[in-house]
Coordinates of all heavy atoms in Angstrom, one line a residue:
F134 N -5.4 14.0 -1.6 CA -6.1 14.9 -0.8 C -7.6 14.5 -0.7 O -8.5 15.4 -1.1 CB -5.9 16.4 -1.3 CG -4.4 16.6 -1.6 CD1 -4.1 16.9 -2.8 CD2 -3.5 16.7 -0.6 CE1 -2.7 17.2 -3.4 CE2 -2.2 16.8 -1.0 CZ -1.9 17.1 -2.2
E189 N -6.3 2.3 9.1 CA -5.1 2.4 8.2 C -3.9 2.4 9.2 O -3.9 3.1 10.1 CB -5.0 3.5 7.2 CG -6.0 3.5 6.2 CD -6.1 4.6 5.3 OE1 -5.4 5.5 5.4 OE2 -6.6 4.4 4.1
I190 N -2.9 1.6 8.9 CA -1.7 1.6 9.8 C -0.6 2.2 9.1 O -0.3 1.7 7.9 CB -1.3 0.1 10.2 CG1 -2.6 -0.7 10.7 CG2 -0.3 0.0 11.2 CD1 -2.5 -2.1 10.5
V191 N -0.1 3.2 9.7 CA 1.1 3.9 9.0 C 2.3 3.7 9.8 O 2.2 3.8 11.1 CB 0.8 5.4 8.9 CG1 2.1 6.1 8.4 CG2 -0.3 5.7 7.8
V192 N 3.4 3.3 9.2 CA 4.7 3.2 9.8 C 5.6 4.4 9.1 O 5.8 4.3 7.9 CB 5.3 1.8 9.6 CG1 6.6 1.6 10.4 CG2 4.3 0.6 10.0
R193 N 6.4 4.9 10.1 CA 7.2 6.0 9.7 C 8.6 5.7 10.0 O 8.8 5.5 11.3 CB 6.7 7.3 10.2 CG 5.4 7.7 9.8 CD 5.1 9.0 10.4 NE 3.6 9.4 10.1 CZ 3.3 10.0 9.0 NH1 4.2 10.3 8.0 NH2 2.0 10.4 8.8
A197 N 8.0 13.0 7.2 CA 7.4 13.4 5.8 C 6.0 13.7 6.0 O 5.4 13.4 7.1 CB 7.8 12.4 4.8
G198 N 5.4 14.2 4.9 CA 4.0 14.4 4.8 C 3.4 15.0 6.1 O 3.7 16.0 6.6
S199 N 2.3 14.3 6.5 CA 1.3 14.9 7.7 C 2.1 15.0 8.9 O 1.7 15.8 9.7 CB 0.1 14.1 7.7 OG 0.3 12.8 8.2
L200 N 3.1 14.1 9.1 CA 3.9 14.2 10.5 C 4.6 15.4 10.5 O 4.7 16.0 11.5 CB 4.7 12.9 10.6 CG 5.6 13.0 11.9 CD1 5.0 12.2 13.0 CD2 7.1 12.5 11.6
K202 N 4.1 18.2 8.9 CA 3.3 19.4 9.0 C 2.7 19.4 10.5 O 2.8 20.5 11.0 CB 2.1 19.1 8.0 CG 1.6 20.3 7.3 CD 0.5 20.1 6.3 CE 1.0 19.6 4.9 NZ 0.0 19.3 4.0
R203 N 2.3 18.4 11.0 CA 1.5 18.4 12.3 C 2.6 18.8 13.3 O 2.3 19.6 14.3 CB 1.0 17.0 12.5 CG -0.2 17.0 13.6 CD -0.9 15.8 13.8 NE -0.8 14.7 12.7 CZ -0.2 13.7 12.6 NH1 0.8 13.3 13.5 NH2 -0.2 13.0 11.4
E218 N 1.2 4.8 13.5 CA 0.1 5.6 13.7 C -1.2 4.9 13.1 O -1.0 4.2 12.1 CB 0.2 7.0 12.9 CG 1.3 7.8 13.3 CD 1.4 9.1 12.5 OE1 0.9 9.0 11.3 OE2 2.1 10.0 12.8
Y220 N -5.1 5.5 11.5 CA -6.1 6.4 11.0 C -7.4 5.5 10.8 O -7.4 4.5 10.3 CB -5.7 6.8 9.6 CG -4.4 7.8 9.8 CD1 -3.2 7.3 9.9 CD2 -4.6 9.2 9.9 CE1 -2.1 8.0 10.1 CE2 -3.6 10.0 10.1 CZ -2.2 9.4 10.2 OH -1.2 10.3 10.3
D228 N -10.3 10.3 6.9 CA -9.4 9.4 7.5 C -8.7 10.0 8.8 O -7.5 10.2 8.7 CB -8.4 8.9 6.6 CG -9.1 7.9 5.4 OD1 -10.2 7.8 5.6 OD2 -8.3 7.7 4.5
D274 N 8.2 6.1 4.7 CA 6.9 5.6 5.4 C 6.1 4.7 4.5 O 6.2 4.7 3.3 CB 6.2 6.8 6.0 CG 5.7 7.9 5.0 OD1 5.5 7.4 3.8 OD2 5.7 9.0 5.3
F275 N 5.0 4.2 5.1 CA 4.0 3.4 4.3 C 2.8 3.2 5.1 O 2.9 3.5 6.2 CB 4.7 2.2 3.8 CG 5.0 1.1 4.9 CD1 4.1 0.1 5.3 CD2 6.2 1.2 5.5 CE1 4.2 -0.8 6.3 CE2 6.4 0.1 6.6 CZ 5.5 -0.8 6.9
K276 N 1.8 2.8 4.4 CA 0.5 2.5 4.9 C 0.3 1.0 4.6 O 0.3 0.7 3.5 CB -0.5 3.4 4.4 CG -2.0 3.3 4.9 CD -2.9 2.6 4.1 CE -3.1 2.8 2.6 NZ -4.1 2.0 1.9
P298 N 3.9 1.8 -4.8 CA 4.3 3.2 -4.5 C 3.1 4.2 -4.3 O 3.4 5.3 -3.9 CB 5.0 3.5 -5.9 CG 5.4 2.2 -6.4 CD 4.3 1.3 -6.1
D299 N 1.9 3.6 -4.4 CA 0.7 4.5 -4.1 C 0.7 4.6 -2.5 O 0.1 5.5 -2.0 CB -0.6 3.8 -4.4 CG -1.1 4.2 -5.9 OD1 -0.3 5.1 -6.5 OD2 -2.1 3.9 -6.2
S300 N 1.1 3.7 -1.8 CA 0.9 3.6 -0.3 C 2.3 3.7 0.5 O 2.3 3.5 1.7 CB 0.2 2.4 0.1 OG 0.9 1.2 -0.5
C301 N 3.4 3.9 -0.3 CA 4.7 4.0 0.5 C 5.4 5.4 0.0 O 5.0 5.9 -1.0 CB 5.7 3.0 0.0 SG 5.3 1.3 0.2
R302 N 6.3 6.0 0.8 CA 7.1 7.1 0.3 C 8.5 6.3 0.1 O 9.1 5.8 0.9 CB 7.3 8.2 1.5 CG 6.2 9.1 1.3 CD 6.4 10.5 2.1 NE 5.2 11.4 1.8 CZ 4.2 11.5 2.5 NH1 4.0 10.8 3.6 NH2 3.2 12.3 2.2
K314 N 3.8 8.2 -4.9 CA 2.7 9.0 -5.2 C 2.9 10.6 -4.9 O 2.0 11.2 -5.4 CB 1.4 8.6 -4.3 CG 0.1 8.8 -5.3 CD -1.0 8.1 -4.8 CE -2.0 8.7 -3.9 NZ -3.1 8.1 -3.6
D315 N 3.8 11.0 -4.2 CA 4.1 12.4 -3.9 C 4.3 13.0 -5.3 O 4.1 14.3 -5.5 CB 5.1 12.6 -3.1 CG 4.8 12.7 -1.5 OD1 3.6 12.7 -1.4 OD2 5.6 12.5 -0.7
R318 N 1.0 13.9 -6.2 CA 0.3 14.9 -5.1 C 1.0 16.3 -5.3 O 0.4 17.3 -5.2 CB 0.7 14.4 -3.8 CG 0.0 13.1 -3.3 CD 0.1 12.9 -1.8 NE -0.3 11.7 -1.3 CZ 0.5 10.6 -1.0 NH1 1.8 10.7 -1.2 NH2 0.0 9.5 -0.6
R319 N 2.3 16.2 -5.7 CA 3.1 17.6 -5.6 C 3.3 17.9 -7.1 O 4.4 18.8 -7.3 CB 4.4 17.4 -4.8 CG 4.0 17.0 -3.3 CD 5.3 16.8 -2.4 NE 4.8 16.3 -1.0 CZ 5.6 16.1 -0.1 NH1 6.9 16.7 -0.2 NH2 5.3 15.7 1.1
Ligands
UDP121 N1 -1.0 6.8 2.9 C1 -1.8 6.1 2.1 N2 -3.2 6.3 2.1 C2 -3.8 7.3 2.9 C3 -2.9 8.1 3.6 C4 -1.6 7.8 3.8 O1 -1.3 5.3 1.4 O2 -5.0 7.3 2.8 C5 0.4 6.6 3.0 C6 1.1 7.7 2.2 O3 1.4 7.4 0.9 C7 2.5 7.8 3.1 C8 2.1 7.3 4.5 O4 0.9 6.7 4.2 O5 3.3 6.8 2.5 C9 1.9 8.5 5.4 O6 1.1 9.4 4.9 P1 0.8 10.8 5.6 O7 0.1 10.6 6.9 O8 2.1 11.6 5.6 O9 -0.3 11.4 4.7 P2 -0.2 12.4 3.4 O10 1.0 13.4 3.6 O11 0.0 11.4 2.3 O12 -1.5 13.1 3.4

Side-chain angles (χ1 to χ4, degrees):
F134 313 118
E189 295 190 341
I190 308 153
V191 167
V192 184
R193 302 177 182 276
S199 69
L200 177 98
K202 219 178 274 169
R203 202 177 328 111
E218 297 170 347
Y220 293 84
D228 296 347
D274 57 32
F275 65 93
K276 183 257 321 184
D299 264 10
S300 54
C301 303
R302 280 198 171 92
K314 208 166 101 175
D315 275 347
R318 293 189 191 100
R319 303 179 188 188

